[in-house]
Amino acid sequence: MQRVSFKNRTWDVAGHLYFPENFDETKQYPAIVCVHPGSSVKEQTAGLYASQLAKNGFITLAFDASFQGESGGEPRFLEDPTTRVEDIRCAIDYITTLSFVDNERIGAMGVCAGGGYAANAAISEKRIKAIGTVIGTNTSRAFREANPIEILNAVAQQRTAEANGAEKLINNWIPNSTEEAQLLGLHEMDLLEAIDYYRTPRGQHPNSCNKLLFTSMSNLIMFDAFHLAEYFLTQPLLVIIGDKVGGFGSYRDGFDLYNKAASTNKKIHIVQGASHYDLYDQPQATQNALEQLVPFFQENL
């Protein structure tokens, strides 16, 4: 693995570039851009998939989203879907400059919100020749189910307050502990598993600090990751979901993407006994996903 950086507009995006075993810089390899979930960083689940895909012959790139992790950009902790998609385009720009990457064999995959962003990028970014999603979610669907008009009104008030000198409002993505969640009366499976992944030694990383700029919410509510997929998402597509259905909605979103996509070469794979967060890092679930992803990318890149 090599630490790298590339530009999005005027700031640096920080990445990890992974290489196959017995890498030979005089040869050309297929490459895959790996996109992390919301609130995540490159060292977490996107990096896990990137490292495992690299072991199977691919150059892979996991990176921190703009405004987050080790990447630049202001304001911090902004989750802006359009910039997240532009990050993917800029990542592709970067890997096309590498002499050992075959520019006609570039793919993308993403986990959770990163799966939605990767799919959205592929709708218009035809340098992506194959697209895989692992429990991919559509941010518009997910966030508009939670009092969206109330949230949009609150964002409007907060923007006015900040324009007039108030401090930026930064919230947590999730409670910091299961105890905190229980005190708030929150018991949903996906939420509790998110806490177990992000806020315990299982998956936590100091750069994944559970912070979300509140005014991001209007962007998240309005961004339909699968918009126009029925017309323009024509690349080979692999959608992977788990059959333990939780409140975050990746099971529904997986079928929505699969059904909408214009791809003639498309497949949906259900990992039996796996929840949303099992597919972040649990060996049996992620191995099952990789057993689908590796031959899919080998056949289509």
Side-chain angles (χ1 to χ4, degrees):
M1 187 271 285
Q2 177 182 340
R3 296 175 65 87
V4 299
S5 66
F6 54 91
K7 289 289 188 184
N8 184 339
R9 301 168 206 169
T10 60
W11 58 83
D12 290 330
V13 176
H16 286 167
L17 193 65
Y18 294 84
F19 300 88
E21 295 179 7
N22 302 314
F23 169 71
D24 181 347
E25 65 179 7
T26 67
K27 296 182 178 179
Q28 286 198 319
Y29 297 83
I32 302 170
V33 174
C34 301
V35 188
H36 68 65
S39 84
S40 190
V41 290
K42 62 187 178 301
E43 290 85 359
Q44 295 174 317
T45 184
L48 182 152
Y49 279 96
S51 64
Q52 294 302 309
L53 288 166
K55 290 179 180 178
N56 287 275
F58 302 97
I59 299 293
T60 59
L61 174 62
F63 59 90
D64 289 339
S66 294
F67 319 113
Q68 301 168 32
E70 293 182 309
S71 290
E74 295 287 342
R76 303 307 294 171
F77 313 123
L78 173 65
E79 180 76 10
D80 177 28
T82 56
T83 302
R84 289 278 251 134
V85 173
E86 184 63 16
D87 284 339
I88 298 169
R89 296 180 186 278
C90 293
I92 295 171
D93 290 343
Y94 167 71
I95 60 177
T96 64
T97 69
L98 303 175
S99 62
F100 46 81
V101 167
D102 184 340
N103 291 345
E104 296 303 314
R105 293 192 291 163
I106 295 173
M109 67 83 55
V111 182
C112 190
Y117 294 137
N120 187 269
I123 289 171
S124 60
E125 177 53 84
K126 296 310 177 185
R127 291 178 297 180
I128 297 174
K129 303 302 184 184
I131 176 72
T133 67
V134 177
I135 36 100
T137 55
N138 184 346
T139 61
S140 175
R141 193 276 315 153
F143 284 95
R144 71 171 178 258
E145 292 180 353
N147 303 314
I149 301 302
E150 179 181 330
I151 294 170
L152 291 172
N153 282 327
V155 168
Q157 293 172 7
Q158 182 61 29
R159 287 187 68 104
T160 296
E162 291 177 14
N164 286 273
E167 293 273 335
K168 293 187 183 300
L169 178 58
I170 297 173
N171 292 336
N172 290 341
W173 281 88
I174 56 175
N176 276 311
S177 67
T178 54
E179 292 78 14
E180 183 181 326
Q182 289 166 358
L183 287 172
L184 294 169
L186 303 173
H187 306 286
E188 199 280 320
M189 177 183 72
D190 278 352
L191 177 64
L192 295 180
E193 291 194 5
I195 295 169
D196 186 57
Y197 179 79
Y198 282 113
R199 309 312 298 161
T200 76
R202 171 185 164 190
Q204 68 186 154
H205 189 276
N207 291 339
S208 175
C209 50
N210 194 31
K211 300 297 183 185
L212 174 67
L213 186 68
F214 176 69
T215 52
S216 302
M217 292 299 297
S218 59
N219 298 329
L220 290 166
I221 289 169
M222 300 308 297
F223 181 79
D224 180 1
F226 307 153
H227 181 56
L228 300 180
E230 63 271 34
Y231 298 105
F232 301 121
L233 182 50
T234 56
Q235 300 96 315
L237 170 68
L238 172 63
V239 175
I240 297 175
I241 53 178
D243 73 342
K244 291 176 68 176
V245 180
F248 286 6
S250 59
Y251 187 90
R252 287 177 288 158
D253 287 345
F255 276 99
D256 186 30
L257 176 60
Y258 173 79
N259 289 327
K260 286 188 73 172
S263 312
T264 56
N265 176 2
K266 59 182 178 178
K267 177 182 178 181
I268 189 164
H269 175 74
I270 303 173
V271 181
Q272 300 298 315
S275 68
H276 186 96
Y277 284 92
D278 287 338
L279 281 157
Y280 271 47
D281 69 334
Q282 294 303 290
Q284 185 172 347
T286 55
Q287 182 59 35
N288 188 302
L290 286 160
E291 287 171 356
Q292 298 295 316
L293 287 165
V294 169
F296 168 77
F297 282 121
Q298 287 174 336
E299 291 166 10
N300 292 291
L301 293 181

